[in-house]
Amino acid sequence: MISIRQRKGIQTTEVSEDYTAQEENVKLEDKLPSSCTNRRLWKILSFTVGGTVALCIGLLTSVYLATLHENDLWFSNIKEVEREISFRTECGLYYSYYKQMLQAPTLMQGFRGLIYDNKTESMRTINLLQRMNIYQEVFLSILYRVLPIQKYIEPVYFYIYTLFGLQAIYVTALYITSWLLSGTWLSGLLAAFWYVTNRIDTTRVEFTIPLRENWALPFFAIQIAAITYFLRPNLQPLSQRLTLLAIFISTFLFSLTWQFNQFMMLMQALVLFILDSLDMLPAMKVTWLYGIQLTGLLLVCMLQFFNSMILGSLLISFNLSVLIARKLQKILNLKSDEHIFKFLKAKFGFGATRDFDANLYLCEEAFGLLPFNTFERLSDTLLFYAYIFVLSITVIAALAVAFRNLSDSANQQSMCKMGKYTIGLKPDTAYNLIHTILFGFLALSTMRMKYLWTSHMCVFASFGLCSPEIWELLLKLIHLYNPKRICIMRYSIPILILLYLCYKFWPGMMDELSELREFYDPDTVELMNWINANTPGKAVFAGSMQLLAGVKLCTGRTLTNHPHYEDNSLRERTKAVYQIYAKRAPEEVHALLRSFGTDYVILEDSICYERRHRRGCRLRDLLDVANGHMMDGPGENDPDLKLAGHPRFCEEIKKNLPSYTAYFTRVFQNKTFHVYKLSRNK
């Protein structure tokens, strides 16, 4: 098992006229100078200072996270095999393709090896560029090979520093979005501080570096910032074209780098649909955004050799249906993502399931409900309180605007002329409001998706505290409205929160940076070294998905299965391989493994005798239920489950009984792993 130890020794509704007047009241840079020239100089100074702070805070965040990673693992000192093992589960699988491209004699051979890959899944040739989102590894490996940097930086550092560099872009994009919404860069600074002080809940890049979301979310943040700017009224034609280009590029890169892009963008499309239906966004701009989503996804589909999961996505059907009079429905008989719908059906109580794949997700903490202690951590930094405060006021404003827009148009015009409607909601604010609500529901239902929500919480809460519109609405409600009070509130409260964050969290961050530990997993290191030294290069290995990703990266051996679970045939194969932890006869297990060309099988005690999950969620329990067998241990079983006719394979094989040794020979053993070689004869 991997562990960490101490080191030894060393309209939008179209914007109303009264809103234009309000805007002049609230911009500090328009209030301080008395002349037009001074105003222009003040704006230039504010932009320069704010931009410099944005770049600095982004770079500092990147360095901070990279330092935590180094301090946690002592990455610069451990062996290469230990570095590779530290890329856990699917992370190791993705990094292996970067390594594979670097080791190829030529770029074309490396590229061809990815298109016609026969080592990731035994007895099967697959197109990795079609199946997986690994273009980023391809691009990075090409860069490393063509740039004159090999003498100065190791491949692994070039890879991880790129990811940490993307974090700088991520934080800068969050900063800019908040700045655009509020009109002051102080809001962006507060958003960045909240992102860092809530690091546990906003990112996990320092310990899951190659994860697809760490590539994708920075581009998603850029897209949101660009859309926020695009939804501003009265953009110059050149600014609008450049912003549309930025939206398209960021949408394309986001879609290219994460397999779950279609589900995130579907929610984004729903945001646009809701606001468009309520006349809170300009129709033409919404059409542009739908078109960009569709174009970006189809381009990714082409690059992924017409991946069926993308072609049959709900996003394409939804956007086409909206763009073509909401009448087109696209129905394809696909199975690539059916496990997701089975999971969602069971998760939200639409019937229990014995489906192995769905239960595998249901029993993982990352796919469970968002834990309550998340809100305790977010409250410690005052983020959650500020977020609820801003959310409540903007929801009230949105409901008022929606009611106005849905009311009789003649009535609306007369009421506006009478001045009875003073509540306005800018299109960019409305977009970010619905965005945060929908992604909030997603995060509450599935913990793994909280990183989409929590980073946007930082943006939304900081914008609201620095927004003149929010304070104006609040002060009018309590009959304390005064332009000077607005100015005081929007600057004093964020500054006080920043001082509080520095006072409370700076010492802890310094302690965290001074805590030195190192990577320690001798059993896995011993296993990988043994495989490299004692097995043929073309040997096929079976085992758990998580471990086999490491086997692929560290040894280059062929696998029977792997953690990229977005393929129906792979899921069926994984379930068959996992019978090594079920109650099956040795000859049955041998036949199943040999059907995939398996030469060696790795058994893990941590899975065979698992205690991490509760009864019913242990891997052996999921297999028993799927096989119609009663689960082990005290507790109830469904009445139709039966006693198995054989003992558990992973336990019984260790007794070296003749019925097992006829098919399996133990060739390696340590405290964690047992490796068996399969006999060729039946």
Side-chain angles (χ1 to χ4, degrees):
M1 295 293 289
I2 294 175
S3 64
I4 302 296
R5 67 176 184 181
Q6 293 298 122
R7 291 190 192 172
K8 296 180 182 177
I10 325 210
Q11 150 158 20
T12 346
T13 320
E14 302 293 344
V15 180
S16 59
E17 297 145 292
D18 57 349
Y19 170 72
T20 308
Q22 294 164 16
E23 198 171 45
E24 294 176 2
N25 276 342
V26 297
K27 291 192 177 178
L28 182 64
E29 53 267 33
D30 286 348
K31 296 179 77 175
L32 292 178
S34 56
S35 70
C36 185
T37 304
N38 287 341
R39 262 199 310 271
R40 191 175 296 111
L41 289 173
W42 175 256
K43 286 181 178 179
I44 292 171
L45 177 63
S46 176
F47 180 81
T48 303
V49 173
T52 303
V53 172
L55 293 175
C56 290
I57 200 74
L59 288 172
L60 285 173
T61 304
S62 176
V63 172
Y64 171 63
L65 293 170
T67 304
L68 289 178
H69 175 259
E70 167 64 23
N71 289 357
D72 204 38
L73 301 177
W74 205 0
F75 201 74
S76 60
N77 188 69
I78 57 179
K79 299 174 184 177
E80 186 66 19
V81 65
E82 293 176 308
R83 289 176 179 176
E84 292 178 348
I85 293 170
S86 72
F87 295 137
R88 304 164 192 168
T89 65
E90 61 188 289
C91 298
L93 185 69
Y94 298 133
Y95 183 78
S96 73
Y97 301 122
Y98 170 73
K99 180 181 176 181
Q100 181 177 324
M101 282 290 292
L102 292 179
Q103 291 177 342
T106 66
L107 284 173
M108 285 308 299
Q109 284 178 282
F111 198 72
R112 184 177 176 82
L114 296 179
I115 296 177
Y116 301 100
D117 177 89
N118 55 13
K119 296 180 74 68
T120 301
E121 295 178 16
S122 59
M123 303 182 71
R124 185 183 293 169
T125 298
I126 61 173
N127 185 341
L128 292 168
L129 295 177
Q130 179 189 45
R131 183 82 75 79
M132 302 183 192
N133 298 73
I134 58 168
Y135 270 102
Q136 49 267 50
E137 277 74 24
V138 174
F139 176 72
L140 218 55
S141 63
I142 293 173
L143 269 186
Y144 186 80
R145 293 182 68 142
V146 301
L147 294 176
I149 57 175
Q150 288 88 350
K151 293 181 180 179
Y152 309 105
I153 185 170
E154 297 176 57
V156 66
Y157 277 106
F158 183 67
Y159 186 91
I160 67 172
Y161 285 166
T162 299
L163 267 300
F164 287 126
L166 279 176
Q167 282 295 301
I169 295 174
Y170 190 15
V171 173
T172 303
L174 297 176
Y175 180 109
I176 291 171
T177 304
S178 190
W179 185 359
L180 288 171
L181 287 168
S182 66
T184 172
W185 59 262
L186 180 64
S187 171
L189 182 62
L190 180 56
F193 264 66
W194 262 330
Y195 179 86
V196 174
T197 53
N198 291 283
R199 174 179 57 82
I200 293 175
D201 297 300
T202 54
T203 182
R204 49 180 175 169
V205 67
E206 75 271 20
F207 59 89
T208 57
I209 296 175
L211 209 61
R212 303 298 84 178
E213 68 188 51
N214 295 328
W215 284 97
L217 291 184
F219 300 120
F220 191 57
I222 293 171
Q223 186 219 41
I224 292 173
I227 291 175
T228 299
Y229 184 74
F230 178 66
L231 292 177
R232 286 185 158 194
N234 306 319
L235 282 184
Q236 295 297 320
L238 178 60
S239 297
Q240 183 161 303
R241 285 195 291 269
L242 290 174
T243 306
L244 283 170
L245 179 62
I247 295 171
F248 172 74
I249 292 173
S250 55
T251 300
F252 167 70
L253 292 175
F254 169 68
S255 302
L256 189 66
T257 52
W258 198 13
Q259 69 268 30
F260 293 137
N261 63 76
Q262 54 178 290
F263 303 106
M264 305 306 104
M265 287 172 57
L266 176 61
M267 298 197 73
Q268 195 175 61
L270 288 171
V271 171
L272 296 173
F273 180 76
I274 291 169
L275 294 174
D276 185 27
S277 302
L278 295 173
D279 292 328
M280 297 174 76
L281 292 183
M284 183 55 67
K285 291 189 175 183
V286 172
T287 303
W288 271 108
L289 294 175
Y290 278 136
I292 286 175
Q293 274 197 344
L294 202 56
T295 306
L297 203 61
L298 289 174
L299 183 56
V300 169
C301 184
M302 291 172 60
L303 285 174
Q304 290 193 269
F305 299 83
F306 298 96
N307 184 306
S308 61
M309 187 173 175
I310 297 176
L311 275 176
S313 68
L314 289 175
L315 176 64
I316 288 183
S317 297
F318 181 82
N319 281 8
L320 284 173
S321 67
V322 171
L323 291 172
I324 308 175
R326 298 178 176 87
K327 291 183 179 179
L328 176 67
Q329 291 185 347
K330 192 171 187 179
I331 303 174
L332 293 177
N333 185 25
L334 300 171
K335 297 184 178 180
S336 296
D337 53 1
E338 66 174 1
H339 63 299
I340 296 175
F341 294 104
K342 287 180 181 177
F343 158 71
L344 291 173
K345 181 180 176 182
K347 183 178 180 67
F348 294 110
F350 296 104
T353 180
R354 290 184 181 175
D355 182 77
F356 175 76
D357 301 318
N359 283 326
L360 203 58
Y361 279 101
L362 285 170
C363 287
E364 282 299 320
E365 184 183 4
F367 291 93
L369 299 177
L370 190 66
F372 186 76
N373 60 11
T374 304
F375 301 106
E376 294 177 356
R377 290 192 299 270
L378 296 174
S379 299
D380 282 345
T381 63
L382 305 182
L383 172 59
F384 187 64
Y385 299 128
Y387 177 76
I388 293 299
F389 165 72
V390 176
L391 185 66
S392 302
I393 294 176
T394 48
V395 165
I396 291 171
L399 291 173
V401 171
F403 178 76
R404 182 183 71 193
N405 291 348
L406 293 173
S407 64
D408 181 69
S409 58
N411 239 354
Q412 177 181 332
Q413 289 176 3
S414 62
M415 295 284 275
C416 286
K417 287 178 182 176
M418 293 170 63
K420 291 189 178 180
Y421 284 111
T422 57
I423 294 178
L425 196 67
K426 296 185 294 181
D428 51 1
T429 302
Y431 169 77
N432 280 275
L433 170 64
I434 307 300
H435 177 282
T436 198
I437 290 173
L438 289 187
F439 280 90
F441 282 123
L442 181 64
L444 290 170
S445 66
T446 307
M447 188 185 78
R448 184 174 177 179
M449 297 302 175
K450 73 175 178 179
Y451 302 100
L452 285 162
W453 185 44
T454 49
S455 58
H456 196 263
M457 282 178 72
C458 301
V459 170
F460 198 76
S462 60
F463 134 72
L465 293 183
C466 296
S467 167
E469 295 83 31
I470 297 295
W471 288 113
E472 179 182 353
L473 180 58
L474 179 65
L475 292 174
K476 281 184 176 179
L477 286 173
I478 59 177
H479 306 292
L480 291 175
Y481 172 73
N482 184 297
K484 289 184 179 179
R485 286 198 183 102
I486 291 177
C487 189
I488 292 170
M489 299 298 283
R490 71 185 291 237
Y491 288 105
S492 61
I493 290 182
I495 289 172
L496 288 173
I497 292 176
L498 284 169
L499 292 173
Y500 166 79
L501 294 176
C502 290
Y503 172 77
K504 183 168 183 179
F505 294 99
W506 184 262
M509 291 171 67
M510 292 301 100
D511 290 343
E512 200 174 29
L513 288 173
S514 64
E515 187 177 356
L516 304 177
R517 296 181 287 182
E518 69 173 308
F519 177 86
Y520 185 71
D521 189 6
D523 289 350
T524 307
V525 171
E526 185 184 12
L527 172 66
M528 299 304 171
N529 288 337
W530 180 86
I531 292 173
N532 275 319
N534 297 280
T535 64
K538 294 185 178 180
V540 178
F541 278 79
S544 70
M545 296 184 291
Q546 295 80 1
L547 179 63
L548 289 184
V551 171
K552 172 76 168 60
L553 171 58
C554 298
T555 72
R557 300 305 190 263
T558 304
L559 313 180
T560 56
N561 55 305
H562 54 80
H564 194 273
Y565 217 49
E566 314 309 316
D567 179 77
N568 186 56
S569 61
L570 175 67
R571 292 194 293 272
E572 291 176 354
R573 177 182 283 219
T574 298
K575 182 180 176 182
V577 170
Y578 276 8
Q579 297 304 310
I580 58 178
Y581 297 109
K583 298 170 182 174
R584 299 292 291 268
E587 60 272 16
E588 293 175 341
V589 174
H590 181 269
L592 283 170
L593 295 177
R594 285 301 300 158
S595 68
F596 306 126
T598 307
D599 297 309
Y600 297 88
V601 60
I602 307 173
L603 294 169
E604 300 170 63
D605 286 348
S606 59
I607 298 178
C608 188
Y609 306 107
E610 181 187 359
R611 290 178 175 82
R612 184 169 68 93
H613 290 103
R614 69 184 188 277
R615 184 179 185 271
C617 269
R618 299 169 298 190
L619 179 60
R620 61 180 187 267
D621 297 336
L622 302 183
L623 291 163
D624 288 344
V625 171
N627 293 339
H629 298 155
M630 296 176 67
M631 294 182 288
D632 294 336
E636 294 186 2
N637 288 282
D638 289 343
D640 60 326
L641 295 178
K642 300 176 181 178
L643 285 170
H646 302 277
R648 194 166 304 282
F649 177 84
C650 63
E651 296 176 356
E652 201 71 8
I653 193 174
K654 295 171 188 173
K655 298 177 182 178
N656 290 322
L657 299 173
S659 56
Y660 287 82
T661 56
Y663 298 98
F664 302 93
T665 303
R666 183 159 55 198
V667 290
F668 174 84
Q669 176 184 2
N670 63 19
K671 291 184 295 183
T672 305
F673 305 106
H674 304 261
V675 181
Y676 292 87
K677 185 176 182 179
L678 277 69
S679 63
R680 293 278 178 168
N681 61 317
K682 293 187 178 180

